């Protein structure tokens, strides 16, 4: 595929990912509202890597193609969340456990033990992905408004 064709293809896939994400979030909001719960926030884990290079370099690297794919879907979720009126909370995956420990006043091992126990009734899979999604959701509930500053207490 030529570079121009690749850009056009990616643009179509981005639009489709946004459409599907919007439909999924809208459906989730509707189902939770039927149960008396209003969906108001979205927690999202961000990659901890460097920013992506230009498209030509991405297409030359199998690993970067996968990284870019993840970014495309993260962007689709953020776009859809915004369209649905949700306030988003974003955090890099490398910062997640430490931040959750600070906010929830738990040591990392104790925190992860509780998250693991929480998933036991759900059965498999309850992998690191599900555990981290749970932590991101908890942090989203406690997140201050986007333009306020959070300071750490000195120890």
């Amino acid at each position: 595929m030529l570079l121009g064709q690749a850009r056009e293809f990616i643009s179509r896939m981005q639009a489709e990912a946004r459409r599907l994400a919007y439909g999924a979030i809208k459906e989730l909001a509707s189902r939770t509202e039927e149960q008396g719960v209003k969906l108001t926030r979205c927690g999202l884990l961000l990659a901890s890597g460097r920013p992506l290079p230009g498209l030509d370099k991405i297409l030359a690297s199998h690993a970067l193609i996968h990284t870019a794919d993840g970014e495309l879907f993260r962007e689709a979720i953020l776009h859809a969340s915004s369209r649905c009126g949700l306030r988003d909370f974003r955090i890099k995956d490398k910062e997640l456990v430490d931040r959750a420990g600070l906010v929830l006043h738990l040591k990392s091992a104790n925190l992860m033990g509780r998250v693991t126990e929480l998933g036991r009734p759900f059965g498999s899979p309850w992998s690191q992905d599900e555990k981290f999604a749970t932590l991101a959701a908890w942090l989203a509930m406690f997140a201050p408004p986007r333009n306020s500053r959070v300071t750490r207490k000195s120890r």
Side-chain angles (χ1 to χ4, degrees), residues 112-123 126 130 134-135 138:
M112 292 312 295
R114 288 185 184 200
V115 175
T116 298
E117 237 358 85
L118 177 69
R120 196 171 307 284
F122 300 118
W126 190 253
E130 287 79 18
T134 300
L135 289 177
W138 285 347

Side-chain angles (χ1 to χ4, degrees), residues 20-34 39 84:
L20 291 170
Y22 175 70
I25 292 172
K26 193 172 174 184
E27 174 71 18
L28 178 62
S30 175
R31 286 184 180 197
T32 58
E33 205 161 305
E34 288 171 4
L39 191 62
C84 290

Side-chain angles (χ1 to χ4, degrees), residues 71-153:
E71 289 303 309
L72 181 136
F73 288 109
R74 284 182 192 91
E75 187 279 332
I77 291 169
L78 290 171
H79 183 268
S81 295
S82 177
R83 259 186 91 190
C84 290
L86 304 181
R87 194 174 92 205
D88 70 80
F89 170 77
R90 307 170 198 190
I91 186 165
K92 290 184 177 182
D93 57 5
K94 289 182 181 178
E95 300 170 3
L96 179 67
V97 175
D98 288 341
R99 173 86 67 84
L102 284 172
V103 170
L104 300 170
H105 308 289
L106 294 168
K107 293 185 178 181
S108 296
N110 191 340
L111 174 67
M112 292 312 295
R114 288 185 184 200
V115 175
T116 298
E117 237 358 85
L118 177 69
R120 196 171 307 284
F122 300 118
S124 197
W126 190 253
S127 66
Q128 182 170 306
D129 287 344
E130 287 79 18
K131 293 172 188 176
F132 278 16
T134 300
L135 289 177
W138 285 347
L139 288 175
M141 290 189 322
F142 291 104
R146 193 171 277 282
N147 37 356
S148 71
R149 292 190 173 256
V150 176
T151 57
R152 293 185 184 193
K153 292 181 181 178

